[in-house]
Amino acid sequence: MGVLDLNRVNSIVIGAGHNGLVCAAYLAKKGHSVLVLESSDTLGGLAAGREFHPGFKTSVAHSINHFPQKIIKDLALESFGFGAPAEPLPTTGLSLDGSHVVLQKDTLTGVGESDITAYRHISRLLQRFADRLEPFWLKTIPRVGIKNLTDLLTFGQMGLRVRMLGKADMREFMRITTLPVRDLMDENFEHDILKAMLSWDGLVGSKLAPRSPNHAVLAMLYRRVGGQHGSVASLIKALVSAASAAGADIRTSTAVEKVLVKADDKGLIAHGVRLANGEIIEADRIISATDPQTTFLKLVGVANLEIEFTNRIRRLRCEGYVAKLHLALSDLPKFPGLRKPGGRMIIAPNMDAIEFAFDDAKYGECSQQPVMEIIIPSIYDDSLAPLGKHVLSAHVMYAPYQHKGGWDDAKREAFTARAIDTIARYAPGIKEQIIQSELLTPLDLEHEFNVTGGHWHHTEFALDQSLMMRPTYEAAQYSTPIPGLYLCGAGSHPGGDLTGGPGHNAAQEILR
Amino acid sequence: MTTVDPYAGERLKKTHFYPRAAPLNIRDAWVAWNGYKFAECYYDAEYEYFCVRNSCATYDICPMQKYYVEGSDAEAMLNRMVTRDVKKLGLNRVMYTVWCTDEGRVVDDGTIFRLADDKFMLTCGSPCNAWLKMSAFGFSDVTITDMSDEIAALSFQGPTSCAVLKKMGLQGIETAKPFDIRHFPFHGDTLMVSRTGFTGDLGYELWVTPELALDLWDELYAVGADYGIQPFGEEATNMTRLEAGFIMPDLELHEALKTIHLEHDQSPLELNLGWLVDFKKPHFNGRIALLKEKERGTKYTLTKLDIPGNKPAVEAILYKNERCSQDIGYVTSAMWSPAVKANIALAMIRTEFLKGDIWVEVYFQKELRQYRKVVKATIVKKQFWTPPRARATPPLDF
Ligand SMILES: Cc1cc2nc3c(=O)[nH]c(=O)nc-3n(C[C@H](O)[C@H](O)[C@H](O)COP(=O)(O)OP(=O)(O)OC[C@H]3O[C@@H](n4cnc5c(N)ncnc54)[C@H](O)[C@@H]3O)c2cc1C
């Protein structure tokens, strides 16, 4: 591999989140000279490893639940140390009286016979739907009105795959995909904790509660494909290695300040970037892995964008509702009724609890009684905490990005205390084990991770912002109204989570 | 006893000149424009037309929308919104321009006044606040203020207009060139005068605070009495602007934001306003679409026609042949022009048919009996009517 001319490359990727890294790796493997520019001093974006207290590490995104096998294979990630865990991790719905509901692979315990039967049925049904949709998460969704054959085929395939479910299933598919998740749960199950924990994957990361219509069921289907995988740290490490091995050059602490756009009598073209330090780097194309509002409103600037397009970017729904809690613990906490606090633990006693928690946030307050997903990643990766000590990581809902009256330390501390009190009800001894705690509000996440609104998916993962409308039409096929400028982050189809989907799809589109 | 008007909110508003204009509207011929009571004509449209062409006349443009666009980013913001290069607009100068949707279809046309380095006034026919606000998003230092009700504006047109203003004491007004702006002290305040208008003739537009509207009217009419001053309405305006070849909303232009059917709006290139589209300046809205359109050619072209006979070809359909078997466009405005002494029309014609014959199917009436004729029109390449006096500086004295 020759030395890169750093002031002129084929492709610049802005942002070394996992999607930027996936895209960079694909392009570099095809022989592009690729330069990845990351503003922070770590790699991985929201999945970056981070020491929040000396010796205690974790990442904001704490679990990988649906990473596509295709990307693992294409980029040979296993050879760089990323692979599936020996045994899929359980999801546990915590109960105050210790009679928890546990879902291990497809085996459900802690609930009655009718729920077990119903679960078997509904799980199969959802899986059939999820399988139908799976190919489209790793495909560009063509724009409406296209005439090109490959694109038409994609639409045809979509219709056909859904149609091939058979009449009964197809009708059911059409019925449930936009259903509030509460209705789906109430139709099928009895146990309150079971309903709440199964709803979780439809809701987490979105501005949604069980009674909200839109895309909760679709989110569940999105999260049912691909595989559960080992540590987030090993994914980022493998992606960095894969990209570097293919020849990509990755620079940290290098913030891009502007995407340079030229207008001549043929039109516009993005031709390079200006760094915060003033340095200019030219490239054939610029691929932004930052969120759409950052990309267009900050890096490109509205002067080079169309007015109605800008307006669609402006009104993207980018307000995060998830806060991140990190605890440095002196010991492994004990949750009565659980042999080991492994896997994902959900605190949500019933669907009303989630709904009421959301109601507070809807009106600009933090939930009085938060609900959350907990993981203790140090159980699986002993490099995250000093020997014998542990890290607890929790996605706490709901904390509005825009707090009524604005966020301040007092509000953050109050919410932290409430979150810890909630956990302590399930793990009574935990308060004494806490060495240090940290809570990142969506506003903190925005500042620290350069993600608008601190949003889990960069912008709401919702029907109105999905498929050929993600983030909005004219930018939904990874290209943008500005030739030479592409998107490859979570704000593009298929959306957020650690899936590499947008990075993969953008690379395919660029290489097409 | 006071009676409450149950329709108070529904009634048309009265412009700042209403107290003087209303008594002169002897036909009580009012229409509505942007919620204002607005004269269609005052006495007789043709009479008013001849006043504009032969003496001088006023046209109440209070209902026209006026916005201040201010701040250090005002120029950049406007430059991204409109098709012409606002950078090239000098201080105290006015520019006519259009602005387009992302698809390059005309939202509206209007004028931009540069009142300072960082202060502009934009005027247009329809409310534009929402579009301006949308266009300003993302620029850090721009404020938009709707001045529509805060400025009284009167268009003052016709060959003797300069003489009247001079006699009113506006010193040096005769040195103002077309599209110049001048300021004059007026009753302890300022009277802004721009050499602009919609008649294709010598003319000015007068801008003053509403409190001074009636003083302005009174002085103008006192001095103007000797110069044949007369108010004119919408109908006469429409005649003069057609002779001048200007486009009119709802005739030539269907505003893009109000258009439902695909391409029932227009692009500036279709409207023959290509000279307003400055591809040399940096990005502006619709640029990408307009570049494409320019490359492939417009579907329609607004064309000036001279039609045989004296029957205005109002709402006529155009055909490729005398048999009328293939239609190729339609007339948007038509009139018998006293100034040109010709039967003129503006028409939207499919560009591909401009090279061939253009046949016009004219319907007309004689004492209630309907007639039809098919005549061959000729394309008028130059302006219908451009009198040297419209541009002469100083203008002719009277
Ligand atoms: C609280 C929280 C918890 C989450 N938990 C999970 C989870 O457990 N499992 C899961 O699958 N998903 C989770 N997610 C979602 C997941 O983290 C994201 O969807 C995913 O990481 C997005 O990846 P990305 O590469 O698209 O963007 P990011 O990871 O956001 O990367 C974008 C990168 O661009 C960089 N950048 C921004 N601006 C500039 C600039 N001007 N110049 C240079 N670089 C710049 C940023 O620093 C960042 O590194 C969570 C999200 C949140 C907010």
Side-chain angles (χ1 to χ4, degrees), chain A residues 200-429:
Chain A
W200 190 260
D201 278 345
L203 306 175
V204 68
S206 293
K207 186 186 180 183
L208 279 187
R211 288 188 197 273
S212 318
N214 205 324
H215 60 285
V217 175
L218 212 62
M220 290 171 72
L221 299 179
Y222 176 51
R223 286 167 168 158
R224 277 187 88 92
V225 295
Q228 221 186 47
H229 287 277
S231 78
V232 175
S234 72
L235 170 67
I236 299 305
K237 209 167 137 230
L239 286 175
V240 170
S241 309
S244 306
D249 188 355
I250 305 172
R251 284 209 237 165
T252 52
S253 304
T254 310
V256 171
E257 198 173 72
K258 269 273 165 280
V259 170
L260 301 175
V261 177
K262 241 186 339 226
D264 61 19
D265 47 11
K266 277 178 215 68
L268 296 173
I269 181 126
H271 61 95
V273 298
R274 191 180 69 227
L275 305 182
N277 67 11
E279 189 186 340
I280 284 174
I281 307 173
E282 299 276 335
D284 301 333
R285 72 189 64 74
I286 324 300
I287 307 149
S288 177
T290 71
D291 67 86
Q293 288 196 344
T294 298
T295 302
F296 290 115
L297 304 181
K298 292 199 192 125
L299 300 183
V300 173
V302 301
N304 281 313
L305 296 171
E306 304 291 340
I307 290 167
E308 291 162 286
F309 178 83
T310 306
N311 190 48
R312 296 205 300 278
I313 298 296
R314 174 190 67 80
R315 71 184 183 197
L316 286 176
R317 303 191 284 131
C318 297
E319 295 182 0
Y321 279 83
V322 184
K324 194 65 212 293
L325 177 72
H326 296 141
L327 300 180
L329 299 172
S330 59
D331 208 342
L332 190 63
K334 286 201 176 50
F335 289 75
L338 272 190
R339 199 173 45 80
K340 183 174 106 173
R344 293 200 298 164
M345 296 174 286
I346 311 281
I347 296 183
N350 52 50
M351 283 190 290
D352 273 347
I354 308 179
E355 195 73 42
F356 294 154
F358 182 62
D359 286 345
D360 295 328
K362 253 187 344 202
Y363 302 107
E365 307 271 2
C366 289
S367 305
Q368 284 305 315
Q369 302 198 301
V371 291
M372 67 185 83
E373 166 186 320
I374 300 170
I375 275 190
I376 303 183
S378 47
I379 295 179
Y380 306 99
D381 181 349
D382 53 21
S383 72
L384 298 181
L387 193 66
K389 300 193 169 43
H390 282 278
V391 168
L392 179 146
S393 159
H395 304 332
V396 187
M397 296 204 297
Y398 295 81
Y401 168 72
Q402 293 218 41
H403 201 295
K404 205 190 275 173
W407 276 104
D408 56 35
D409 289 348
K411 285 175 186 143
R412 189 196 292 103
E413 276 156 30
F415 194 53
T416 311
R418 246 180 275 153
I420 291 174
D421 285 346
T422 306
I423 301 173
R425 281 205 284 278
Y426 295 84

Side-chain angles (χ1 to χ4, degrees), chain B residues 196-214:
Chain B
T196 46
F198 201 42
T199 59
D201 216 314
L202 173 66
Y204 301 85
E205 286 169 329
L206 315 175
W207 315 83
V208 76
T209 174
E211 288 74 48
L212 295 176
L214 298 183

Side-chain angles (χ1 to χ4, degrees), chain A residues 15 18-19 38-39 45-46 62-63 256 395 450 456 458 490 497-498:
Chain A
H18 82 291
N19 277 314
E38 166 59 46
S39 58
L46 285 166
H62 64 199
S63 64
V256 171
H395 304 332
N450 308 308
W456 182 296
H458 285 192
D497 286 0
L498 301 175

